[in-house]
Amino acid sequence: QVRPVESGGGSAEPGGSLTLSCTGAGHWCSRHCMGWFRQAPGKERVGIANIVSDGSSNYGPAVRDRFTISRDDARCTLYLQLDRLKTEDTGTYYCAAESTCPALATYGAWGPGTQVTVSA
């Protein structure tokens, strides 16, 4: 099963920005729904944004109006633009792709994730 590879994480100050990327391969690239998940230290992994093949997107309340999800199917790459970062955005970010968005909840082929640390 294809496991995506996330990149672009790092350290930032509150109010700063980062751009995350996620690259898959094969059938992963043509999945209808793609999403980003975040796992804060000591907490469970939760979904924060998803996007479907026509470009429609949804965001969790914690990141809405600050993060932007996008996809480039030709490059098999999913992006997440993180703006106006807050300390509570700290965590490991993962991506996933499935044929439907509800199916993201049971996604199992997790990649290594990329770490984001927001501190003053």
Side-chain angles (χ1 to χ4, degrees):
Q1 192 171 8
V2 173
R3 295 180 184 273
V5 177
E6 302 88 351
S7 62
S11 297
E13 295 183 348
S17 298
L18 287 171
T19 302
L20 307 185
S21 299
C22 164
T23 301
H27 293 298
W28 195 96
C29 309
S30 60
R31 295 298 184 190
H32 173 64
C33 186
M34 296 182 174
W36 283 96
F37 289 70
R38 176 171 71 194
Q39 186 167 21
K43 297 187 177 181
E44 294 186 353
R45 183 161 39 206
V46 296
I48 57 173
N50 62 58
I51 184 169
V52 295
S53 52
D54 69 359
S56 300
S57 57
N58 290 285
Y59 299 90
V63 306
R64 189 175 295 128
D65 298 326
R66 298 188 300 118
F67 291 5
T68 304
I69 188 171
S70 61
R71 60 191 284 174
D72 184 340
D73 290 351
R75 298 178 184 272
C76 195
T77 302
L78 179 69
Y79 301 96
L80 187 67
Q81 176 66 36
L82 288 64
D83 295 317
R84 303 201 304 277
L85 282 163
K86 302 178 180 180
T87 56
E88 52 263 45
D89 294 322
T90 294
T92 304
Y93 286 69
Y94 302 88
C95 60
E98 284 289 2
S99 55
T100 68
C101 288
L104 289 177
T106 58
Y107 187 76
W110 300 105
T114 187
Q115 177 68 36
V116 171
T117 303
V118 184
S119 63

